[in-house]
């Protein structure tokens, strides 16, 4: 879908350096928000007794997701290769419909806006949006 | 006919009452033109849209952003019949402006982000859900008269 320019990669890496200290908080809020704003996403977590935003399972999952995003930033020069095993996980084990990647990406962007209103400029927004779309694409690689 | 819970109604009215249209409007449209550059196709006569700085400083963008927010406010004030409130606007966007309705979602997402940036933590998941539901109804109403 999209190739990341040098500017995109630099922008993403610089922004990530600024915000990664709050990665846990970002991830937790993004996942919690997703479950509330897009209730259909809860279908993937029917094995959790407690799906409320502050539940331990939701918080833990938010952290897991952000660790994955952090990994993607580190491997930004070759996401397809770098995220291959994560793609296999999502394709064969989790079988998450890729439409949901877009949904979670949107929630991550909203959280960035609430937490970093001054840093999340339109330029950062476009590069991060492209990056998350590239991550989603790399995650979808092994699906079929 | 859209059903609104009391929470949704109050939330949406509350959010809009606190928005400074003169600030949020320009920011939203500018963000849309920057993040989704293909949307610039509809603004060929707006002058300099060459880069983010130009877009953010463009007075025509700012003016139009304000117009859009006032229009959304009309929907807020007519929440129980957005469809009819927007019938003329829908015809306008289809017949005269020829805007691909997919673009409405892009602008809606940018507005959500700008509102989120203004409200910070106060913009909870529940409020986001209500806000996005409202925008979904607006988007649907705007697309209704296309044929």
């Amino acid at each position: 879908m999209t190739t990341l320019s040098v500017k995109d990669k630099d922008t993403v890496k610089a922004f990530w350096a600024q915000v990664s200290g709050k990665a846990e908080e970002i991830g937790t809020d993004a996942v919690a928000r997703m479950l509330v704003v897009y209730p259909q996403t809860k279908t993937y977590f029917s094995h959790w007794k407690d799906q409320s935003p502050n539940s331990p399972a939701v918080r833990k999952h938010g952290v897991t997701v952000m660790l994955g995003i952090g990994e993607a930033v580190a491997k930004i020069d070759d996401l397809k290769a770098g995220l291959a095993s994560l793609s296999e996980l999502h394709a064969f084990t989790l079988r998450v419909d890729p439409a949901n990647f877009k949904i979670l990406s949107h929630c991550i962007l909203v959280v960035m806006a609430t937490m970093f209103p001054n840093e999340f400029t339109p330029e950062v927004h476009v590069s991060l949006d492209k990056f998350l779309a590239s991550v989603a694409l790399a995650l979808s690689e092994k699906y079929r | 006919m859209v059903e609104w819970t009391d929470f949704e109604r109050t939330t949406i009215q509350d959010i809009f009452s606190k928005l400074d249209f003169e600030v949020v409007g320009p920011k939203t449209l500018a963000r849309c033109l920057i993040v989704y550059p293909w949307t610039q196709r509809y603004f060929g006569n707006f002058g300099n849209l060459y880069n983010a700085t130009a877009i953010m400083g463009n007075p025509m963008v700012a003016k139009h952003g304000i117009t859009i927010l006032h229009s959304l406010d009309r929907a807020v004030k007519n929440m129980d019949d957005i469809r009819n409130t927007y019938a003329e606007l829908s015809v306008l966007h289809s017949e005269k402006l020829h805007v691909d309705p997919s673009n409405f979602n892009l602008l809606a997402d940018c507005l959500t982000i700008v509102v989120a940036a203004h409200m910070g933590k106060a913009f909870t998941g529940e409020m986001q859900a209500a806000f996005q539901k409202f925008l979904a109804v607006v988007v649907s109403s705007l697309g209704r008269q296309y044929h």
Side-chain angles (χ1 to χ4, degrees):
Chain A
M1 176 195 172
T2 177
T3 325
L4 298 173
S5 67
V6 171
K7 184 166 174 234
D8 287 325
K9 293 184 195 176
D10 286 344
T11 303
V12 168
K13 284 191 274 197
F15 182 67
W16 185 251
Q18 287 181 300
V19 312
S20 57
K22 300 247 168 153
E24 282 195 19
E25 204 183 321
I26 297 168
T28 308
D29 193 355
V31 170
R33 224 169 251 277
M34 180 187 75
L35 297 171
V36 167
V37 181
Y38 304 94
Q40 69 270 24
T41 56
K42 288 193 290 189
T43 54
Y44 290 97
F45 305 105
S46 49
H47 54 286
W48 289 347
K49 258 184 296 151
D50 184 1
Q51 292 178 337
S52 66
N54 281 312
S55 73
V58 171
R59 301 183 68 86
K60 181 163 174 270
H61 198 63
V63 173
T64 305
V65 167
M66 280 327 265
L67 281 175
I69 302 278
E71 203 185 317
V73 175
K75 297 179 180 171
I76 202 168
D77 289 313
D78 192 353
L79 288 171
K80 196 167 129 183
L83 299 179
S85 54
L86 269 177
S87 180
E88 280 175 7
L89 175 74
H90 285 76
F92 303 129
T93 311
L94 305 176
R95 289 185 280 206
V96 175
D97 188 313
N100 294 289
F101 299 150
K102 215 165 174 218
I103 287 176
L104 183 57
S105 296
H106 173 68
C107 291
I108 290 173
L109 293 177
V110 170
V111 171
M112 294 300 188
T114 63
M115 287 177 66
F116 308 99
N118 297 319
E119 293 84 346
F120 192 59
T121 60
E123 285 101 325
V124 169
H125 180 165
V126 61
S127 294
L128 195 59
D129 193 25
K130 286 174 74 177
F131 168 69
L132 290 174
S134 302
V135 169
L137 195 63
L139 277 180
S140 314
E141 261 304 305
K142 305 277 178 183
Y143 272 63
R144 53 179 175 172
Chain B
M1 172 73 186
V2 185
E3 302 266 344
W4 303 102
T5 63
D6 287 338
F7 172 80
E8 285 166 347
R9 219 178 265 277
T10 315
T11 296
I12 293 155
Q13 285 164 352
D14 231 31
I15 291 177
F16 267 83
S17 70
K18 296 192 171 96
L19 288 182
D20 182 350
F21 294 177
E22 315 270 305
V23 169
V24 170
K27 275 191 188 175
T28 300
L29 183 56
R31 198 169 273 258
C32 188
L33 296 171
I34 293 167
V35 178
Y36 309 108
W38 54 93
T39 56
Q40 291 170 25
R41 74 191 305 284
Y42 302 109
F43 303 100
N45 63 330
F46 270 34
N48 187 356
L49 298 177
Y50 297 137
N51 52 48
T53 315
I55 292 172
M56 290 193 284
N58 186 313
M60 289 181 83
V61 171
K63 182 161 175 262
H64 196 62
I66 298 171
T67 302
I68 294 173
L69 259 291
H70 279 291
S71 213
L72 286 170
D73 197 42
R74 262 203 307 135
V76 174
K77 297 188 156 60
N78 290 283
M79 273 176 74
D80 288 312
D81 196 8
I82 297 178
R83 183 194 289 183
N84 281 319
T85 305
Y86 269 25
E88 263 183 49
L89 264 178
S90 179
V91 170
L92 174 78
H93 282 76
S94 162
E95 305 300 302
K96 184 153 178 265
L97 305 175
H98 306 291
V99 177
D100 180 343
S102 310
N103 290 287
F104 302 148
N105 283 311
L106 302 180
L107 186 66
D109 280 351
C110 284
L111 179 59
T112 303
I113 299 239
V114 171
V115 166
H118 275 249
M119 294 182 62
K121 292 244 177 292
F123 192 57
T124 61
E126 285 82 359
M127 292 180 76
Q128 184 184 341
F131 194 66
Q132 290 194 195
K133 177 176 168 180
F134 167 73
L135 289 177
V137 173
V138 163
V139 166
S140 165
S141 303
L142 264 181
R144 219 159 177 280
Q145 303 299 330
Y146 279 66
H147 64 94

